[in-house]
DNA sequence: CACAACTATATTGTACACAATTTAATTGTG
DNA sequence: CACAATTAAATTGTGTACAATATAGTTGTG
């Protein structure tokens, strides 16, 4: 029977390698580093790539809807989207029916990038050293975890 | 039999929710957000907390050794450590035997913080909605993933 | 229709993350 | 011992992440 209040147990719990948070954090950063050289060929950063993934699915959407999809807000997205605009990949224009909204649309160049990006995912999947089944399993576990954490945040 | 080259399969693979990278990224950000209010009470950020976890295990170490442990470099650590110094939690001093090295030592205040931080991990574990077994399992899967990714980075 | 409340995005400021470069100290070689 | 190569940190510059605030447009209510 473990007693969490003993100094030994407390030290264990404070060991960085035993904390899921750190595994998550370092694995996420490693993943970003793995993407970096592949995305550099397309002159994209990893968060920019995520935004494009969302837009390739469906564009002509608001900043907010991208933010909901990616769990980020305008403070992050506005400058990021301006960089994508400067790269000529998207267009930003105020909605006519509600000028508070900014509609993000892919340019032809932005649409064309999709086919070039298609190579990336399989290469990453290979770098993980996991089988497709393992990847799917880990993916759904992480989504469950994320959902729990977010729910605890909203209603603590 | 799946053929990855069909437009359908390609669209699937480009769906952001199906990509492990995004699950990892968003779960990691959610985790950081969960820690934020708890760490705010100690006036710490999440990366600062990670550095302290390493130091609580063993202090009197170089910047580099902290970096190896946390997979980060001096560009990130130098300013972070200066902030911890300003908070009075650590001391930074050049090693006598090799003045290129900077030795990081916990102050008394920095050591005292450990007991206050002990509450945090159990609270996070609770927010994940996972059992201890599930947490350990996910943790080791993520460490394996990280190792694979880093190995592929070094020797591509 | 005036006007408060709300909504969508933008801006500002702090703190990473990380590549690239610089600085200073140390080590290996002739 | 001189000096090139190496090493450890620090610095610089770009790109997020995110809280807090500001701005501008819209909607609901009397």
């Amino acid at each position: 029977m473990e007693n969490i209040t003993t100094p030994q147990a407390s030290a264990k719990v404070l060991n960085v390698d035993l904390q899921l948070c750190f595994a998550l954090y370092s694995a996420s950063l490693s993943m970003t580093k793995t993407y970096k050289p592949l995305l550099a060929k397309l002159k994209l950063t990893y968060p920019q790539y995520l935004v494009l993934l969302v837009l390739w699915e469906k564009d002509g959407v608001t900043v907010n809807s991208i933010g909901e999809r990616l769990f980020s807000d305008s403070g992050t997205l506005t400058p990021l989207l301006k960089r994508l605009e400067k790269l000529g990949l998207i267009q930003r224009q105020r909605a006519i029916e509600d000028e508070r909204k900014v509609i993000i649309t892919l340019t032809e160049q932005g649409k064309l990038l999709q086919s070039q990006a298609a190579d990336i995912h399989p290469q990453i999947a290979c770098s993980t050293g996991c089988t497709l089944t393992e990847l799917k399993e880990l993916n759904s576990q992480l989504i469950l975890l994320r959902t729990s954490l977010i729910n605890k945040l909203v209603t603590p």
Side-chain angles (χ1 to χ4, degrees), chain A residues 20-146:
Chain A
L20 178 62
C21 63
F22 176 59
L24 206 46
Y25 179 79
S26 55
S28 176
L29 293 181
S30 301
M31 185 64 95
T32 306
K33 281 184 200 169
T34 307
Y35 268 96
K36 185 162 286 198
L38 302 175
L39 289 173
K41 293 174 190 165
L42 310 182
K43 297 195 187 304
L44 292 177
T45 66
Y46 180 64
Q48 289 167 8
Y49 169 71
L50 290 179
V51 167
L52 288 176
L53 282 179
V54 168
L55 292 174
W56 287 328
E57 248 179 77
K58 181 177 186 309
D59 73 336
V61 296
T62 64
V63 173
N64 227 350
S65 81
I66 297 172
E68 278 174 22
R69 200 68 203 285
L70 300 179
F71 304 94
S72 52
D73 69 350
S74 70
T76 301
L77 289 176
T78 296
L80 188 157
L81 290 168
K82 285 183 178 174
R83 285 182 205 108
L84 289 180
E85 188 180 36
K86 200 172 279 181
L87 285 171
L89 300 175
I90 64 163
Q91 254 195 313
R92 299 165 63 250
Q93 49 199 9
R94 294 277 166 184
I96 311 158
E97 77 282 5
D98 184 344
E99 292 218 340
R100 291 169 306 179
K101 295 179 182 170
V102 170
I103 305 296
I104 307 297
T105 321
L106 288 164
T107 60
E108 272 315 302
Q109 207 188 330
K111 286 177 189 168
L112 286 173
L113 209 62
Q114 178 170 15
S115 58
Q116 294 181 55
D119 300 350
I120 293 179
H121 185 63
Q123 290 187 56
I124 298 290
C126 169
S127 294
T128 63
C130 297
T131 66
L132 200 58
T133 311
E134 286 169 337
L135 288 179
K136 282 181 183 169
E137 178 63 22
L138 190 49
N139 194 47
S140 55
Q141 283 171 347
L142 289 171
I143 290 172
L144 279 175
L145 173 63
R146 184 184 68 200

